Amino acid sequence: MEVRTLFDTPNVIPLGKEIATYFYLTGISAGSFVISVIAVVGGKVEYKPLGKIGAVMAPVALVIAPIFLVIDLEQPTRFWYLFIYLQMTSPITYGTFLLTSYPLNAVIYAWALFTGNQKAAKTLGIIGIPLAVCVHGYTGFILALGKGRPLWSTALMPTLFLVSAMVSGFALMVIASSIYNKVTARKRPPQEIAIEKGLILNLVKFLGATIVVDLFLISNDILVLLTSKAEEYYVVDLLLKGQFKLLFVGIEIVLGSVIPLFLIFMRPFKGSLAAANVASAFVLVGIYAMRLTVVYAGQSIPLH
Amino acid sequence: MATGEGTFVPERGSAGHEAPQKKRYAMVIDLRRCIGCQSCTVACKEENNVPPGVYRTWVKVVEKGKYPHVSRSFVPILCNNCVKPICLLNCPVQATYQREDGIVMIDQHRCIGCKYCIASCPYGVRYVNPLKKYVQKCTFCHHRVDNGLVPACVETCIGRARIFGDMNDPSSEVSQILATEPVSVLKPEMGTEPRVFYVGLDLDAADALKTWQRAQEA
């Protein structure tokens, strides 16, 4: 049956790149914070430099992130309404308090770490881990509770967001600590530099492992979408064959996950710091593509 | 006080007490009477000062079949003023609220314009007012309803396709149609319990994706 629409209002995409960038930055922040705490609480003495790098990156990313949220508001001057009028069923209300308490905790944690107060740093770090998990998990809930959007409304979304947060956090940690290692190479004893290189390569293995988990979750999501319901068929078509083919398959999967996996685990790249950095850069690009894909493709299916 | 299992406890204000029942406004659109003239679209714009480019209601026009066996279907679309609105649950500042009579409202002084409601509404009936910069939508012309009038689109509908009233009142026209005609709603699977009902809704015309996929392929 031939069906044509003669008149309808256009499909509007209310949430755009500001929101995608916000998701990206909270992801990086949560990821690097968790890595920093793991290094400080669980690690040996030689892991400590990694802990400090993560402790700096986490609050910096999370101070910038909410700026994008406020810019995106139609009424930016009313942003403080979020603190006085609460809707306990809305994930954004939870986010208001998470986005306030998490960076505060992260700043105090970093301060404790740099002043050498290990005990305070450990306590704040352990408090901060659930906060970091929530601060990024809730962004997944924001999308998951958008029930009109077939790509978003899956219980997998918060987990997917958390895992991709870890991926981007690891990737940025690899790059940041490699730069730190290179810059401070002259000032520090060579064996310390060598140990740190070993640590970075260890970090790269973790990066590879989280990429595998991420790919597993994405493939679960796609497989279920492929055998789900009418709207889901359309959105998965959009991702695999349509408008978002390049962004999703090309950049997110191939450039952002598959190529980095090769660079991390295959000879002759395995064990090379340069290859690890290239892989991490690709991962960072890929995760940004993931945020854009989720936000835009989710809203590209018309509602009427 | 504990009540025994199986005891029927009447709800407060229900039968037996002569308490006035709560109103629940609803709209029925009899598509067999709709001619797709878009008078409702215009009347709504006029009544509610809706800026160019955005709509609180409009009539989607769908054409199907091959000549000589062709037909046009019309689907007037507006806010469903759902019983369980997801926009209300997701609004972080309680700018969206529901009146006693079921009309879903937006407090224009409260809305921060985060657009989360627009993103989560399954019906795509909310918009950002491009001049005033906050979210608006159909409110069944609550200002008219409160003064004993019907919404502007209902008043203007030349075929009397749009019928508005209290569905808790068994004598209202809306209740009678709901009781006697085969009615349907858009996207019942969303569980939002829309309160805009359609009589004679065409499957293809109601489908948001059927024509869209064709446009994508072209």
Side-chain angles (χ1 to χ4, degrees):
Chain A
M1 176 68 70
E2 201 170 312
V3 186
R4 294 167 298 275
T5 302
L6 301 189
F7 176 79
D8 198 359
T9 57
N11 182 45
V12 179
I13 296 187
L15 305 179
K17 56 183 184 305
E18 289 89 352
I19 299 298
T21 308
Y22 159 74
F23 288 159
Y24 185 62
L25 289 173
T26 43
I28 281 183
S29 174
S32 46
F33 185 82
V34 171
I35 295 157
S36 163
V37 174
I38 291 171
V40 169
V41 176
K44 300 169 203 137
V45 187
E46 62 261 29
Y47 280 84
K48 294 297 182 281
L50 290 184
K52 284 186 181 171
I53 294 165
V56 173
M57 279 184 336
V60 168
L62 218 92
V63 164
I64 304 167
I67 296 172
F68 284 91
L69 281 186
V70 176
I71 289 173
D72 189 59
L73 295 182
E74 296 295 326
Q75 299 276 354
T77 53
R78 291 185 186 172
F79 82 93
W80 56 278
Y81 285 12
L82 286 163
F83 291 95
I84 56 167
Y85 304 119
L86 309 179
Q87 171 66 288
M88 293 326 281
T89 51
S90 173
I92 296 185
T93 290
Y94 298 130
T96 308
F97 294 97
L98 292 169
L99 282 173
T100 320
S101 54
Y102 168 75
L104 272 177
N105 181 280
V107 167
I108 304 171
Y109 165 78
W111 176 75
L113 202 60
F114 278 91
T115 52
N117 191 345
Q118 287 296 328
K119 208 176 163 192
K122 278 185 184 177
T123 316
L124 288 165
I126 289 166
I127 295 170
I129 284 203
L131 276 177
V133 168
C134 289
V135 91
H136 200 61
Y138 107 88
T139 58
F141 275 112
I142 288 185
L143 295 183
L145 297 192
K147 73 157 71 172
R149 312 288 180 173
L151 184 63
W152 294 356
S153 52
T154 159
L156 207 57
M157 204 46 87
T159 318
L160 191 61
F161 264 51
L162 275 177
V163 172
S164 55
M166 295 307 293
V167 172
S168 57
F170 274 123
L172 197 64
M173 281 291 282
V174 168
I175 293 177
S177 43
S178 299
I179 293 171
Y180 177 76
N181 185 276
K182 194 95 185 163
V183 170
T184 57
R186 281 188 203 154
K187 292 180 199 159
R188 290 190 295 161
Q191 63 262 48
E192 200 180 309
I193 295 294
I195 290 172
E196 204 172 275
K197 270 186 186 165
L199 283 179
I200 296 168
L201 288 173
N202 254 343
L203 203 61
V204 173
K205 281 182 198 153
F206 282 113
L207 172 64
T210 44
I211 292 173
V212 172
V213 178
D214 196 34
L215 278 177
F216 171 69
L217 288 175
I218 292 170
S219 58
N220 283 356
D221 196 21
I222 294 295
L223 282 174
V224 173
L225 286 175
L226 274 170
T227 50
S228 192
K229 288 165 281 170
E231 287 191 320
E232 280 79 352
Y233 294 154
Y234 288 99
V235 79
V236 79
D237 247 31
L238 209 60
L239 290 181
L240 299 179
K241 293 188 273 178
Q243 202 186 333
F244 291 90
K245 185 171 52 179
L246 179 71
L247 203 60
F248 176 71
V249 182
I251 301 180
E252 181 183 337
I253 303 295
V254 177
L255 184 78
S257 302
V258 178
I259 294 178
L261 278 182
F262 272 104
L263 289 174
I264 291 167
F265 290 121
M266 300 297 266
R267 285 173 208 286
F269 308 110
K270 194 179 164 188
S272 149
L273 208 57
N277 275 288
V278 173
S280 300
F282 284 171
V283 165
L284 286 174
V285 174
I287 296 291
Y288 192 63
M290 180 253 177
R291 308 293 187 214
L292 286 174
T293 310
V294 171
V295 170
Y296 279 97
Q299 299 171 91
S300 293
I301 300 285
L303 296 168
H304 41 71
Chain B
M1 194 178 71
T3 48
E5 212 173 313
T7 314
F8 173 66
V9 184
E11 273 178 48
R12 215 175 286 173
S14 71
H17 307 267
E18 288 305 312
Q21 214 182 2
K22 248 196 270 175
K23 279 195 163 86
R24 208 323 167 180
Y25 287 120
M27 191 182 287
V28 176
I29 306 178
D30 190 338
L31 296 171
R32 299 168 302 188
R33 289 170 155 191
C34 179
I35 60 165
C37 67
Q38 305 279 3
S39 296
C40 47
T41 316
V42 176
C44 173
K45 284 237 171 199
E46 177 73 22
E47 176 71 31
N48 294 302
N49 237 332
V50 182
V54 288
Y55 300 86
R56 291 191 187 193
T57 184
W58 68 94
V59 182
K60 181 183 171 188
V61 184
V62 173
E63 200 174 64
K64 58 178 200 167
K66 263 201 160 71
Y67 180 82
H69 305 293
V70 289
S71 69
R72 264 189 195 176
S73 302
F74 308 108
V75 188
I77 295 172
L78 66 155
C79 173
N80 286 294
N81 287 280
C82 305
V83 176
K84 294 175 182 165
I86 184 70
C87 53
L88 187 150
L89 294 180
N90 280 352
C91 175
V93 292
Q94 288 190 31
T96 295
Y97 62 97
Q98 199 165 24
R99 303 202 324 182
E100 282 259 287
D101 54 20
I103 297 178
V104 178
M105 302 282 292
I106 302 166
D107 183 344
Q108 62 181 58
H109 303 294
R110 180 79 67 93
C111 175
I112 59 171
C114 69
K115 303 180 285 281
Y116 187 27
C117 54
I118 307 180
S120 40
C121 171
Y123 304 99
V125 290
R126 288 173 161 247
Y127 62 86
V128 176
N129 185 315
L131 307 171
K132 296 174 178 168
K133 300 288 179 194
Y134 48 74
V135 177
Q136 291 183 321
K137 68 172 193 70
C138 163
T139 59
F140 281 161
C141 283
H142 68 282
H143 55 289
R144 289 174 61 93
V145 172
D146 288 345
N147 288 291
L149 300 168
V150 292
C153 56
V154 176
E155 182 91 46
T156 201
C157 182
I158 56 166
R160 264 183 51 74
R162 290 193 188 227
I163 297 132
F164 178 82
D166 174 14
M167 64 182 278
N168 281 353
D169 172 11
S171 64
S172 70
E173 197 182 349
V174 162
S175 297
Q176 288 170 19
I177 296 172
L178 288 176
T180 56
E181 296 285 348
V183 292
S184 50
V185 294
L186 293 174
K187 300 187 184 177
E189 73 276 9
M190 290 293 165
T192 49
E193 297 177 33
R195 282 298 171 260
V196 172
F197 299 90
Y198 297 88
V199 180
L201 182 65
D202 180 70
L203 184 67
D204 289 330
D207 193 332
L209 302 165
K210 207 146 217 167
T211 54
W212 173 73
Q213 186 73 351
R214 290 184 57 82
Q216 289 272 303
E217 282 162 8

